[in-house]
Amino acid sequence: MTDSRGRRVALVTGGRRGIGLAVAEGLAADGLDVAITGTSPEDDVSRAALARLTAHGVRAVYIAGRVDAVEDHARVLDHVEAELGPIDVLVSNAGIAPPERLDLMETTPENFDKVIGVNLRGAFFLAQGVARRMVAAGPKGGRALIFVSSCSAEMVSLNRVDYCVSKAGLSMAVKGFAARLAADGIAVFEVRPGIIRTDMTAGVAAKYDALIEDGLVPAKRWGEGTDVAAAVRALARPDMVYSTGSVINVDGGLTIARL
């Protein structure tokens, strides 16, 4: 199915809330039709998210699916194409924190495998599936793969090294996709958020409030989903293709001050 108005189509994984929803809404505001995914069946949360997207005058669809279920990726991509058309922009945003925050010496294979399965393995093979379809479709402008990783790709947290490993691996995957797809005119980028106000950080909000006040983040504030969305929106522009492989830190200066 193609849109007679020529709108591009974006798929945002983990787009029901938080960073993913902020990104999806930003792309909708820029005129892209948007598909969002989540692990839950359609519910009030996903319906509210769709209402925010369609308020921008674009089409939007929610698809339940797990990023770590690689065997299910084709169904999800087929659904997007049937409802909206071929994917022009993939925003690989879905990710999880470790089920348990454990010291490096105490973490378990179960903890490690769960995080790697979603944050690295699942993200890699979903992007591979999208990229294969893009290449098979032939030359077309305005296509991009944008991976939302984390400052933890470089900064060590000893009580969640499994998470850091997943993001460091994802960063190398971005380089690989960028090098492989450059000649096909498909741009690939990595966006690295720092301390962002989300459900994932809600449990440690007081800790980070104090650290930010004490100068951990030069910008002296939390990052918001809209900060990440602003970076993704810029990278999704068709004229950004020659900047492929770029890494954008969305962290208020955290990493340049600390690394």
Side-chain angles (χ1 to χ4, degrees):
M1 180 176 182
T2 58
D3 181 15
S4 60
R5 288 164 291 186
R7 283 199 296 257
R8 291 188 296 154
V9 173
L11 169 60
V12 181
T13 63
R16 295 170 75 242
R17 59 189 179 185
I19 290 174
L21 179 54
V23 167
E25 189 166 10
L27 294 174
D30 288 340
L32 280 74
D33 291 329
V34 183
I36 57 175
T37 69
T39 58
S40 302
E42 186 170 317
D43 57 10
D44 289 344
V45 175
S46 55
R47 284 189 285 271
L50 290 176
R52 286 174 58 172
L53 302 179
T54 56
H56 293 280
V58 301
R59 296 177 298 164
V61 62
Y62 173 73
I63 306 166
R66 302 184 61 87
V67 173
D68 56 345
V70 174
E71 68 282 359
D72 193 42
H73 288 174
R75 176 192 65 84
V76 173
L77 301 183
D78 287 345
H79 192 157
V80 177
E81 291 183 359
E83 293 288 332
L84 303 178
I87 296 167
D88 298 289
V89 178
L90 168 67
V91 182
S92 181
N93 164 75
I96 62 168
E100 295 183 87
R101 282 179 173 249
L102 299 171
D103 180 80
L104 168 67
M105 303 296 285
E106 303 298 330
T107 197
T108 64
E110 294 77 17
N111 228 38
F112 188 92
D113 291 348
K114 182 69 174 177
V115 174
I116 294 295
V118 176
N119 296 358
L120 179 54
R121 183 176 183 272
F124 178 94
F125 284 106
L126 181 63
Q128 182 194 72
V130 173
R132 283 174 170 172
R133 294 180 185 221
M134 287 180 171
V135 171
K140 181 183 178 183
R143 298 183 300 182
L145 309 180
I146 303 172
F147 295 80
V148 179
S149 66
S150 169
C151 62
S152 295
E154 291 196 21
M155 300 182 75
V156 175
S157 297
L158 289 178
N159 65 346
R160 54 172 193 155
V161 169
D162 34 19
Y163 179 82
C164 299
V165 169
S166 73
K167 295 301 184 178
L170 187 63
S171 183
M172 179 51 71
V174 172
K175 293 179 176 66
F177 278 112
R180 175 62 178 81
L181 298 174
D184 295 292
I186 301 168
V188 184
F189 303 107
E190 179 184 354
V191 174
R192 288 185 184 171
I195 302 170
I196 308 295
R197 200 186 307 276
T198 66
D199 292 347
M200 189 181 293
T201 55
V204 289
K207 168 188 172 182
Y208 281 113
D209 282 341
L211 289 170
I212 291 169
E213 180 62 28
D214 197 40
L216 178 67
V217 178
K220 289 285 189 179
R221 70 169 177 86
W222 281 80
E224 305 291 344
T226 51
D227 294 312
V228 182
V232 172
R233 292 170 73 176
L235 296 173
R237 287 173 40 182
D239 58 1
M240 288 296 290
V241 64
Y242 203 69
S243 296
T244 191
S246 296
V247 179
I248 305 298
N249 293 303
V250 184
D251 62 8
L254 170 68
T255 48
I256 59 172
R258 297 291 163 175
L259 288 182

